[in-house]
């Protein structure tokens, strides 16, 4: 049975200020917003996160889907707290 979303137990985070990823030397200038909403369920097993986004300036090659490179055309949440420094590994699997 699907959990019922409880607005009192929902947490959202919105980001609309993007910087180039550490070490990226390309010319893409991404703008837009990403909202991560954590939805609590009746148990840890039913908790989930929903990503909503609207972005411009992304790689036009991504319109055909991800390429062969790992994490291409993806949105990731990393362990680090700064994109100007090493963002560290993926926070979520």
């Amino acid at each position: 049975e699907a959990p019922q979303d409880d607005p009192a137990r929902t947490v959202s985070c919105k980001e609309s200020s993007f910087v180039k990823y550490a070490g990226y030397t390309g010319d893409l200038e991404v703008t837009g917003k990403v909202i991560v909403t954590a939805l609590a369920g009746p148990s840890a097993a039913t908790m989930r996160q929903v990503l909503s986004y609207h972005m411009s300036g992304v790689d036009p090659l991504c319109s055909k889907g991800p390429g062969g490179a790992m994490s291409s055309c993806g949105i990731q949440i990393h362990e680090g707290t700064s994109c100007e420094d090493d963002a560290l590994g993926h926070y979520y699997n």
Side-chain angles (χ1 to χ4, degrees), residues 1-6 39-43 45-48:
E1 180 175 335
Q4 297 297 315
D5 296 335
D6 178 354
L39 302 172
S43 71
T46 59
M47 293 175 65
R48 63 190 189 276

Side-chain angles (χ1 to χ4, degrees), residues 12-63:
S12 291
C13 173
K14 179 172 91 171
E15 183 57 58
S16 58
S17 174
F18 298 99
V19 297
K20 291 186 177 184
Y21 191 81
Y24 175 73
T25 58
D27 59 356
L28 297 175
E29 296 286 339
V30 177
T31 61
K33 69 179 178 180
V34 176
I35 300 171
V36 180
T37 303
L39 302 172
S43 71
T46 59
M47 293 175 65
R48 63 190 189 276
Q49 293 185 329
V50 177
L51 272 68
S52 304
Y53 56 91
H54 177 77
M55 300 167 75
S56 298
V58 297
D59 191 333
L61 295 175
C62 290
S63 66

Side-chain angles (χ1 to χ4, degrees), residues 50-85:
V50 177
L51 272 68
S52 304
Y53 56 91
H54 177 77
M55 300 167 75
S56 298
V58 297
D59 191 333
L61 295 175
C62 290
S63 66
K64 296 180 181 177
M70 185 174 193
S71 298
S72 66
C73 301
I75 297 174
Q76 295 95 30
I77 298 174
H78 288 257
E79 292 180 26
T81 58
S82 170
C83 292
E84 286 126 358
D85 298 320

